[in-house]
Amino acid sequence: KDERMNTFFQEELQGICRGWAAGVKLIGDSGGRMAFFRDELSAFLVNRTLFEGLLKAITNGDPHPDLRQETQFDNELVLHRDPGRLFSVRMYIFGPGVHTTVHDHSSWGVSGSAFGPLEVVRYRREDDGSDPDLARLAMADRYALRPGEVETTLPLDQGIHRTGNPAEGTTLMVSVYGTPLRRLYIQRFNLENGGVHRVFPPRFKKKMLAEQALKAMAAAPRSD
């Protein structure tokens, strides 16, 4: 019975995403696509039965959502990747008082709460960005979304923020992200020392580490 129910919820999710893909293909600009998903995501977030089914599938160890997919946050689950790379859908699970680090994105995003309060804290840069390893940030806005409410995020410096759960209990955040820009990483910001840390997807990071090791070995004298 559980297996049949989980298949039902996955088919429902995939059907919704296919409809989104058909709609967003007709929109050529990022602003229009963000507006499209603002409307669509608001309706999607109130489908509590669907999210309960997805969470049950996760706890049962079902292959979907796939916990092995590469993500840049440890509370992030990929619900859907559009084959045409038009968008992806991700769910984030926040425990009591848990927030992300301050970060940016390499694409626009539309996010909202499917359960629990969702706090959004936005920051603006007060430096000129000339030093890639340092950033001076100031808080620009802070607010909480109720279930079903959504907000939009712009890429790069225009969208520096952190999100999370300001209360007890659990918060489920769902985000739709557009086609990424050519930049392969996101940036995380340390408010205390102004440090900037680049975070690459795991597959790119491993490739970079291998390239670094290969260069070091090529430069070292051989003993064989």
Side-chain angles (χ1 to χ4, degrees):
K1 181 180 178 181
D2 283 346
E3 184 176 347
R4 289 197 302 272
M5 289 298 293
N6 293 339
T7 300
F8 170 81
F9 290 124
Q10 282 302 319
E11 290 177 349
E12 182 181 2
L13 173 62
Q14 295 308 315
I16 291 169
C17 291
R18 284 193 296 271
W20 287 352
V24 82
K25 281 180 182 177
L26 304 176
I27 306 170
D29 64 290
S30 296
R33 291 181 175 181
M34 292 172 69
F36 172 86
F37 278 113
R38 279 188 68 94
D39 293 336
E40 294 293 327
L41 190 60
S42 293
F44 180 66
L45 291 171
V46 298
N47 190 344
R48 181 163 172 170
T49 302
L50 173 61
F51 288 104
E52 289 175 344
L54 293 174
L55 292 171
K56 187 173 292 186
I58 294 167
T59 59
N60 288 343
D62 290 356
H64 302 287
D66 185 359
L67 303 184
R68 297 168 298 179
Q69 287 204 45
E70 295 179 344
T71 61
Q72 293 175 323
F73 296 91
D74 58 9
N75 67 334
E76 176 183 8
L77 297 100
V78 179
L79 300 184
H80 180 79
R81 294 182 195 267
D82 176 63
R85 301 187 76 239
L86 294 175
F87 65 94
S88 65
V89 185
R90 297 155 190 266
M91 180 170 69
Y92 302 82
I93 305 174
F94 294 97
V98 175
H99 290 71
T100 65
T101 56
V102 180
H103 64 280
D104 67 7
H105 286 282
S106 58
S107 68
W108 56 260
V110 181
S111 303
S113 170
F115 182 81
L118 174 62
E119 185 173 60
V120 180
V121 186
R122 296 192 175 278
Y123 296 87
R124 64 176 179 272
R125 288 195 72 150
E126 297 194 324
D127 63 295
D128 61 7
S130 58
D131 187 339
D133 297 317
L134 291 173
R136 188 169 68 252
L137 303 181
M139 190 172 72
D141 201 2
R142 184 176 193 160
Y143 51 90
L145 302 176
R146 294 174 296 183
E149 295 181 332
V150 300
E151 58 97 29
T152 56
T153 301
L154 296 174
L156 308 180
D157 286 348
Q158 292 180 286
I160 299 173
H161 68 172
R162 72 179 180 122
T163 57
N165 178 6
E168 296 297 320
T170 296
T171 291
L172 294 182
M173 180 177 81
V174 178
S175 297
V176 177
Y177 296 110
T179 304
L181 304 175
R182 290 187 177 272
R183 195 186 75 174
L184 297 177
Y185 56 86
I186 67 170
Q187 295 187 126
R188 294 182 179 176
F189 301 89
N190 188 316
L191 296 178
E192 294 184 0
N193 61 23
V196 180
H197 175 61
R198 293 165 191 79
V199 182
F200 289 83
R203 65 185 182 279
F204 289 115
K205 182 176 181 179
K206 292 170 185 176
K207 181 179 178 181
M208 290 169 56
L209 290 173
E211 290 174 345
Q212 292 171 8
L214 189 61
K215 288 180 181 178
M217 293 176 70
R222 301 182 69 96
S223 59
D224 53 355

